[in-house]
Amino acid sequence: MNAATPLAPELQRYADLDQRLLGAVKGIRILPTVAWPATVENRMIEAFGKGQYSLPEVSYQRPDLSEARAELAAIEREAGHDDPMGEYLCRTAESWRIAAEMLEAVGTAEVTAPSIVLYGRPGDPIPGSDRSNLDAARYFVELSDELGADLLADDVNTNLPADALRADLAKTLDDFFGAGTISVEVDDELTAKAAAGATRIRLRGGTSFSEYDRHQLLAHEAFVHSLTALNGRAQPVLASLARTSPRVTATQEGLAVFAELMSGAIDIARLKRISLRILAIDMALNGADFVEVYKYFSSCGQSPGDSFHSAQRVFRGVPLTGGAAFAKDNVYLSGLLTVHTFFRWALKQRRMDMLRHLFAGKLSLHDVISLEPHFESGAIAPPRWLPPWMQHVHGLAGKLAFSLFVNRIHMGRVQADALSLSL
């Protein structure tokens, strides 16, 4: 199926609903709505670095998204659940509607509940496990602290200015995607270190990057976030697969961190940073204010700037006095663990096709399975681009096969055997 082929009436109905959905969500901009001005951050980071603590004063522009919410509710009703495409549209419209409700409450504690609906709570169990996301976060923080002293010699230099990294990434992306497909820009107002869309990657100005940062940006931002957006743009029916709806955030971020893992672009310090944010969300929900969360990050070894940015992520869009939080950072670790489990399951089932389908757009793991009939029919196109590590199936299979087998080994027995061998 290609763009010139007329769609069957039923598919055309879903394509029309999909276009309506894209029109409805055009004004729903989650991260820009809850973002803090860089001028506030720079001033407060300097003060906090001197031990001058006070709660930042942040104001938000509260949007009126009532028309968007009404249209999304109508799409939910009309899409129905009779077909996997209808179910996809219904679920996607619902998540955008919840996001709209969340943004209309920006600046108040009422942001918390819908953000938890969209991104989960730290104490939620990890699918397929009796452990929670909070348990996993504590484990990686403790492991990182235990290994930290031994890893100091491996510490990487942060000596790549944003402009130098921009030029380097631009050349790499031109070689992979084609000249000019993705631009790389330096943005002085960006809060995160980097952000990616389909055709643009932004780097935070005034920041120096390490070689690890470079590898992570390529694996995470370029070869997952930008790549899946570009593949989604080529879809003949569901053009919304080019946009990250709130309901697919956990899979998309989990897949991006999994890509770091498969590419050798992640280190234990990165896992600690991800985990600390989950623990900080839990602290905020339990009453810690912004200064207390900042001090927590600082006590865990982060610099004043990194501690401030980390705390800011937890309090985006909510009061800074405690008891409220923006829960998006909850998805990174649970998403990683769930995606890792899915990859292992697909390998065990000999379903590498499902793993490739995961890159056809901004999909959740549920979508990859439920939309399988439409992948088979061609109504959903296979991905044009795959990350470099996905193009080497034998290498990927080797890593996952090893992981599958190692999981069967009982750690207590290994310890006992090791002790007996040392006697």
Side-chain angles (χ1 to χ4, degrees), residues 6 13 42 61 117 171 214 219 312 361 368 375 402 413-415:
R13 185 175 86 84
N42 294 337
Q61 196 75 25
V117 172
K171 181 181 185 310
R214 177 187 178 277
Q312 178 265 342
V368 173
F375 278 106
F402 186 80
R413 178 65 184 274
V414 171
Q415 183 180 24

Side-chain angles (χ1 to χ4, degrees), residues 161-276:
D163 285 325
L165 181 58
R166 183 206 63 76
D168 179 78
L169 291 179
K171 181 181 185 310
T172 301
L173 298 180
D174 282 351
D175 291 343
F176 186 86
F177 291 103
T181 303
I182 298 177
S183 64
V184 185
E185 303 171 3
V186 175
D187 185 347
D188 292 333
E189 292 293 316
L190 189 64
T191 300
K193 259 195 167 182
T199 59
R200 182 176 65 152
I201 291 176
R202 292 177 295 153
L203 307 174
R204 188 168 74 211
T207 302
S208 292
F209 297 82
S210 68
E211 199 57 36
Y212 253 125
D213 290 330
R214 177 187 178 277
H215 290 313
Q216 287 166 2
L217 287 172
L218 280 172
H220 186 115
E221 303 291 351
F223 295 143
V224 173
H225 290 325
S226 293
L227 179 146
T228 52
L230 287 169
N231 286 333
R233 285 188 168 193
Q235 290 299 330
V237 181
L238 299 177
S240 62
L241 288 175
R243 287 207 61 173
T244 304
S245 66
R247 61 174 284 269
V248 305
T249 302
T251 296
Q252 289 300 305
E253 296 297 354
L255 181 61
V257 180
F258 181 77
E260 295 178 38
L261 188 65
M262 290 295 103
S263 305
I266 197 168
D267 59 7
I268 193 68
R270 165 80 163 150
L271 284 172
K272 180 179 179 179
R273 286 195 299 274
I274 292 170
S275 299
L276 286 174

Side-chain angles (χ1 to χ4, degrees), residues 102 111-122 124 281 285 325 327 330:
M102 176 179 72
V111 165
T112 302
S115 84
I116 287 173
V117 172
L118 295 175
Y119 308 122
R121 183 186 290 272
D124 290 345
I281 291 171
L285 291 174
N330 187 62

Side-chain angles (χ1 to χ4, degrees), residues 224-382:
V224 173
H225 290 325
S226 293
L227 179 146
T228 52
L230 287 169
N231 286 333
R233 285 188 168 193
Q235 290 299 330
V237 181
L238 299 177
S240 62
L241 288 175
R243 287 207 61 173
T244 304
S245 66
R247 61 174 284 269
V248 305
T249 302
T251 296
Q252 289 300 305
E253 296 297 354
L255 181 61
V257 180
F258 181 77
E260 295 178 38
L261 188 65
M262 290 295 103
S263 305
I266 197 168
D267 59 7
I268 193 68
R270 165 80 163 150
L271 284 172
K272 180 179 179 179
R273 286 195 299 274
I274 292 170
S275 299
L276 286 174
R277 293 171 189 169
I278 296 166
L279 298 176
I281 291 171
D282 189 61
M283 287 177 61
L285 291 174
N286 286 307
D289 67 17
F290 182 89
V291 172
E292 290 172 307
V293 171
Y294 169 89
K295 289 181 177 179
Y296 171 68
F297 282 115
S298 181
S299 71
C300 292
Q302 293 193 359
S303 68
D306 286 342
S307 296
F308 192 93
H309 284 125
S310 295
Q312 178 265 342
R313 292 174 70 100
V314 174
F315 287 93
R316 287 177 286 187
V318 303
L320 308 184
T321 49
F326 181 70
K328 179 177 181 286
D329 280 344
N330 187 62
V331 305
Y332 287 81
L333 191 53
S334 61
L336 166 62
L337 295 169
T338 307
V339 166
H340 193 283
T341 300
F342 181 78
F343 267 74
R344 288 163 48 225
W345 171 85
L347 174 67
K348 190 173 182 179
Q349 301 298 318
R350 311 292 197 270
R351 293 301 308 270
M352 296 299 291
D353 58 322
M354 281 193 172
L355 300 183
R356 288 188 286 270
H357 291 165
L358 192 53
F359 294 92
K362 303 292 187 177
L363 295 151
S364 71
L365 298 179
H366 173 90
D367 297 331
V368 173
I369 296 171
S370 68
L371 290 169
E372 186 178 2
H374 291 298
F375 278 106
E376 291 177 356
S377 71
I380 299 180

